[in-house]
Amino acid sequence: MKKIVIVLVACFLSTQVRAQFFDRLKNKVQQKVNDAVDKTIDNATTGKKKKEAGAGTSVNGNAASTVSTTVQNTAQEDVKAYSKFDFVPGEKIIVEENFASDAIGEFPAKWNTKTNAEVVTLSNRPGKWLALKQDGVFYPEYIHNLPDNFTLQVDVLVNNDISQIGTLTVALIAAKTDYEKFTSGENGGLPVPGLKLGIRPESGEYSGNMDYTSKALGSASVNELKNIFHAPDKPFATISVWRQKQRVRVYINSTKLLDLPRAIEPDAILNSLVFGAYSPDYEKKGGAFYLSNIRLAVGAPDTRNKLITQGKFVTHGILFDFNSAQIKPESNGALMDIANVLKEDAKIHVKIVGHTDSDGDAQVNLDLSKKRAEAVKAILASDFGIDAARMVTDGKGKIQPIDNNTTAVGKANNRRVEFIKL
């Protein structure tokens, strides 16, 4: 009899209310499953922190400041999976934001917002992250110029509770006032010149998608993010943006989602990077976006010319796992770039030299830099077909900096791989 009553009541409900009723019921069941999985993950990962050795951002050692997140660890993606990833970072790093100098639990000192966000550490990821748990617009106040040629990379994490309408916006704009920055970061239109991305990760039955808004092109929705960026299986994404004057390419992990030859107005002078969060915590379930490792680099690398005529090429585009010689898959574009030069002239022999910043023990840094150089040689031989006999390796640790070791930007420039023509 009770079943009959429930069916009759459901029939009188509007389509929208009925859908919401069953969605909530399904979500409650799924949440119990996720909670059980997350508890196991957090128990396995909490407290496992590594000591920095000139390899990236430092980790706050205060266990009380660590946020127990529902972000899951994922298996290392093979570099071969990034075979079509042709993104090559700019030559010189001008912004490296990893929140290393900001206090846990506080809003970053050099950023602005009208709402709130806080710097946290995560139980299963190194470094510090900016947690966006509510609607708002957030931007670094120290960026005043985005050149005609630059690259942007941003690491993003979502937890299992990210809502199906949760949207992260990334805007590269020409703004004259703070009001224009806040308005541009909101979910919706773009009132100033530039380009804004709206990224909604896959969640539950929602496949996720990305849209863009441009003063030059209007608005459009692009590829679904199914199997690219979703909770809980693939909660981590690197967003890569490559601007060459009017042309803009956008990648999420290994997938190129946009290649727009006229995305930016020809006379636009971009000067601001703005982030926005829309409904990450819909229905108060604890959803959040986490941002870190925001890297802005300028100048198009001229690999062939520098190696052939100057005898040396320096790249910041070959990236490694934290305190490790494991090459990250998003390094494929930079590796492919140098491999193409070596394939053009089989007579060229090179020395591959690894360098670190000054953080950590000097001997550990030296050993790590040598192992990283060896890893680069190995992957160029195995995955790109370069004769191993044409390459030798070395590592210098922290002893040959090309920038200061007192700022995040300086340290990022010092962490590099050099190719020296023999």
Side-chain angles (χ1 to χ4, degrees), residues 9-24:
V9 171
C11 290
F12 285 101
L13 294 174
S14 69
T15 301
Q16 182 179 3
V17 174
R18 189 164 63 247
Q20 290 177 350
F21 172 81
F22 287 114
D23 281 345
R24 289 194 180 100

Side-chain angles (χ1 to χ4, degrees), residues 53-67:
T57 60
S58 60
V59 178
N60 188 299
N62 184 359
S65 68
T66 299
V67 175

Side-chain angles (χ1 to χ4, degrees), residues 343-416:
K343 287 178 179 179
E344 287 178 6
D345 189 345
K347 296 179 181 178
I348 296 178
H349 288 63
V350 294
K351 177 188 287 187
I352 305 169
V353 184
H355 297 266
T356 70
D357 61 36
S358 63
D359 289 352
D361 180 79
Q363 187 60 50
V364 173
N365 281 337
L366 180 62
D367 293 341
L368 180 61
S369 66
K370 291 181 177 180
K371 290 178 181 178
R372 288 180 168 179
E374 292 167 358
V376 172
K377 173 183 175 179
I379 199 168
L380 285 173
S382 63
D383 289 15
F384 294 89
I386 306 301
D387 185 358
R390 298 171 58 193
M391 300 176 285
V392 297
T393 64
D394 196 6
K396 298 299 182 181
K398 65 178 185 179
I399 65 173
Q400 293 182 354
I402 58 174
D403 205 337
N404 67 74
N405 274 302
T406 60
T407 66
V409 172
K411 290 178 183 180
N413 278 311
N414 288 332
R415 295 190 298 267
R416 66 197 191 275

Side-chain angles (χ1 to χ4, degrees), residues 41-42 45-50 57-60 66-77 120-129 155-158 229 232-238 253 290 292-293 321-322 328 330:
I41 291 168
D42 287 336
T45 57
T46 301
K48 292 184 180 179
K49 293 183 175 63
K50 301 177 181 178
T57 60
S58 60
V59 178
N60 188 299
T66 299
V67 175
S68 180
T69 70
T70 56
V71 175
Q72 295 189 22
N73 285 328
T74 55
Q76 175 73 26
E77 291 188 72
V120 301
T121 56
L122 303 181
S123 60
N124 50 8
R125 290 277 175 172
K128 295 180 180 179
W129 298 74
D155 285 348
V156 183
L157 281 165
V158 295
F229 183 24
D233 297 326
K234 293 183 178 180
F236 174 83
T238 296
N253 293 335
Y290 298 90
S292 192
N293 304 318
D321 282 348
F322 179 77
K328 289 187 175 183
E330 56 263 36

